[in-house]
Amino acid sequence: MAEDKIPMNEKDNKNFSPKFFETETKVGTFQKAIHWITSFLEMALTILLVVGILLTFVHVPSLLGDILSVSPSGLIDLVNYVAIIIIAIELIHVLNSQNLESVIEILMLAFTRELVIREWSMWQLLVGVGCIAGLFAIKKWLLSKEH
């Protein structure tokens, strides 16, 4: 009896899905197919990225050997290589989670990698650090989690 008095939209909040997935017309079927295809492609790309990351670990021992050489470029090459692997791993996270916070995290990693690896002028470094600070501010104040 109490359920009869609850408005229809409050009952549906538990199992919410967009209206276009509920339609049984040709358009709804087409949209379901597009959704399935894009989900499949995302999963395929994720699997390819994981395989690529695993294959890149073959080169890490040779880069570790280059660190022992006289030039400091071996260490920079290793840092660059590991940073690229970390960004690829975060890209997999973005593909699977699809939320704004993970996108901001990958942007912070990419900016940080560029700031560390490349040689920039002082003004360019200042702008880069400002971009990272802006991303941290967005993450902290605009993407606050509900408790």
Side-chain angles (χ1 to χ4, degrees):
M1 196 65 70
E3 288 183 10
D4 294 337
K5 295 181 182 181
I6 297 174
M8 185 59 116
N9 59 1
E10 290 181 20
K11 287 181 190 176
D12 295 337
N13 281 342
K14 295 176 186 173
N15 299 322
F16 175 76
S17 64
K19 293 277 185 199
F20 61 84
F21 286 120
E22 296 174 0
T23 61
E24 293 298 325
T25 63
K26 290 181 181 178
V27 174
T29 305
F30 180 71
Q31 288 171 334
K32 285 181 186 180
I34 294 292
H35 178 72
W36 183 84
I37 290 169
T38 56
S39 297
F40 177 77
L41 288 174
E42 286 175 2
M43 190 56 63
L45 285 174
T46 300
I47 291 169
L48 287 174
L49 277 172
V50 168
V51 169
I53 288 169
L54 292 175
L55 291 175
T56 58
F57 282 113
V58 173
H59 297 290
V60 172
S62 67
L63 289 172
L64 287 172
D66 290 343
I67 291 176
L68 300 175
S69 68
V70 179
S71 69
S73 66
L75 179 61
I76 292 174
D77 291 339
L78 178 67
V79 169
N80 187 23
Y81 201 74
V82 170
I84 290 172
I85 292 172
I86 291 170
I87 290 172
I89 292 170
E90 282 296 318
L91 181 60
I92 292 171
H93 180 70
V94 167
L95 285 173
N96 289 327
S97 66
Q98 295 182 355
N99 60 17
L100 192 55
E101 186 173 348
S102 59
V103 171
I104 289 176
E105 288 174 4
I106 196 169
L107 284 173
M108 286 190 295
L109 284 170
F111 275 126
T112 304
R113 176 190 167 268
E114 288 297 314
L115 286 177
V116 170
I117 299 302
R118 295 196 183 197
E119 294 182 17
W120 299 98
S121 70
M122 198 55 68
W123 287 108
Q124 290 171 329
L125 282 174
L126 182 65
V127 169
V129 170
C131 288
I132 293 173
L135 289 171
F136 271 115
I138 289 171
K139 185 177 177 183
K140 179 172 180 154
W141 288 299
L142 295 181
L143 296 177
S144 61
K145 298 189 181 210
E146 296 177 7
H147 297 286

